[in-house]
Amino acid sequence: MNSSPIGVFDSGVGGLSLLCELRRLLPNEDFIYYGDRANAPYGAKTHEEILNISKSIFDDLISRGAKAIVVACNTATAVAIEPLRSAYPNLPIIGIEPAVKPARLSGCKRVLVLATPVTVSESRFAALLRANSSDGCEFIGVPCHELAYMIENDKTSEEIEKYMSSVFAPYKEEGFDGIVLGCTHYPLAKNEIKRAAGESVHVFDGSVGTAKRTKALLEELSLNSLARKIGTVEFISSDGSDHLERFYKKIIAVRKSNPIASR
Ligand code: DGL
């Protein structure tokens, strides 16, 4: 079991931002990355569709021997994590949630939590924001209807920055000092988001925390790889394309050329 792969899934390239953190923290693990491009974006789907899709991806990953599954998608986590845990009681399942707590702890005062329309409308999301709001810190959920689609479909930096400026426009007058990237696609456009928001705004992303949680859970269950070799990644795309591998190589190349700025 220790040498079995970890399954990771998202609607497309978004979860690759989390996969990078997982590989950094768990270099000896093998991964199977499932990108459900045929059904993307999830942010425009119903609850029932997201739950059914997630279950069929779980079945696929389990049939390929996954010892644990990381739901590298905030939307699927918000909608389906509890029903998935009930449906697969013996499988370690890790979800990703918006990094609202780190934003609160940082001392930011007014924070925009960017996420898909489905995530923003979830009661789980409202509860997370409520639990972290206090007199000194306000969180505002901001649905970004187009952003995941734009990133998934290789829109240009200029197009993404222009779209994000329109998203931020209603909040500019009162101002904001923090942004939470509540969708795994968004870290892939971090530079464009920062340029549109203003360079002084702090940006928070849940992937590091989720990767740490994955490592801790595997150790707790004694499921961590005992191998000494560097682990592998197998990519599966439901649309049969090689878009995921190409995108992943691009991210790795950018990270190698500028490791600090790409964090
Ligand atoms: N990357 C996903 C998320 O974290 C889903 C984006 C989408 O497919 O709409 O929410």
Side-chain angles (χ1 to χ4, degrees):
M1 198 66 169
N2 297 69
S3 61
S4 301
I6 300 170
V8 179
F9 98 88
D10 180 45
S11 62
V13 297
L16 296 174
S17 59
L18 175 50
L19 180 68
C20 289
E21 294 306 330
L22 287 164
R23 293 202 78 200
R24 210 160 56 83
L25 230 61
L26 297 163
N28 307 119
E29 297 287 348
D30 291 337
F31 292 90
I32 306 176
Y33 184 91
Y34 191 113
D36 191 14
R37 288 178 45 83
N39 288 307
Y42 286 179
K45 292 217 163 344
T46 65
H47 266 204
E48 205 186 350
E49 286 170 331
I50 294 171
L51 180 56
N52 289 339
I53 288 169
S54 303
K55 279 189 178 159
S56 68
I57 295 172
F58 264 52
D59 291 340
D60 187 296
L61 289 169
I62 291 166
S63 75
R64 294 170 196 268
K67 64 182 173 188
I69 295 182
V70 180
V71 181
C73 173
N74 293 76
T75 309
T77 300
V79 170
I81 200 84
E82 297 308 339
L84 286 168
R85 287 200 170 117
S86 309
Y88 303 89
N90 299 320
L91 180 74
I93 300 172
I94 302 97
I96 183 164
E97 284 200 311
V100 170
K101 190 175 168 193
R104 170 170 60 83
L105 296 176
S106 76
C108 281
K109 300 285 176 239
R110 195 164 186 258
V111 181
L112 304 185
V113 187
L114 312 180
T116 66
V118 169
T119 303
V120 172
S121 69
E122 282 305 306
S123 53
R124 198 182 167 93
F125 181 83
L128 182 69
L129 265 52
R130 217 177 310 115
N132 284 282
S133 295
S134 66
D135 285 349
C137 184
E138 182 190 7
F139 288 98
I140 304 163
V142 178
C144 298
H145 293 262
E146 307 289 328
L147 188 54
Y149 174 85
M150 294 180 92
I151 295 166
E152 187 69 38
N153 291 287
D154 285 330
K155 296 292 173 197
T156 64
S157 268
E158 291 71 24
E159 287 171 305
I160 293 176
E161 194 179 326
K162 189 167 164 220
Y163 171 69
M164 288 315 296
S165 297
S166 74
V167 169
F168 292 138
Y171 307 98
K172 279 269 162 120
E173 201 178 310
E174 243 188 282
F176 51 93
D177 55 357
I179 294 172
V180 174
L181 304 178
C183 165
T184 50
H185 278 71
Y186 302 170
L188 304 173
K190 191 171 166 182
N191 294 336
E192 290 81 357
I193 294 170
K194 279 193 94 159
R195 280 201 296 275
E199 291 294 335
S200 61
V201 172
H202 299 276
V203 179
F204 302 90
D205 159 18
S207 17
V208 176
T210 309
K212 282 186 184 159
R213 172 75 197 124
T214 305
K215 183 173 193 273
L217 186 64
L218 290 178
E219 283 169 4
E220 207 175 294
L221 300 171
S222 301
L223 279 176
N224 47 312
S225 168
L226 306 173
R228 282 158 192 266
K229 61 162 184 65
I230 295 295
T232 57
V233 188
E234 179 189 351
F235 290 98
I236 301 163
S237 184
S238 57
D239 70 351
S241 73
D242 65 351
H243 190 74
L244 301 169
E245 289 97 309
R246 284 193 286 112
F247 211 102
Y248 184 66
K249 280 188 190 145
K250 219 165 67 183
I251 302 173
I252 298 296
V254 171
R255 288 192 171 216
K256 269 198 184 135
S257 67
N258 198 348
I260 299 202
S262 54
R263 283 277 169 76

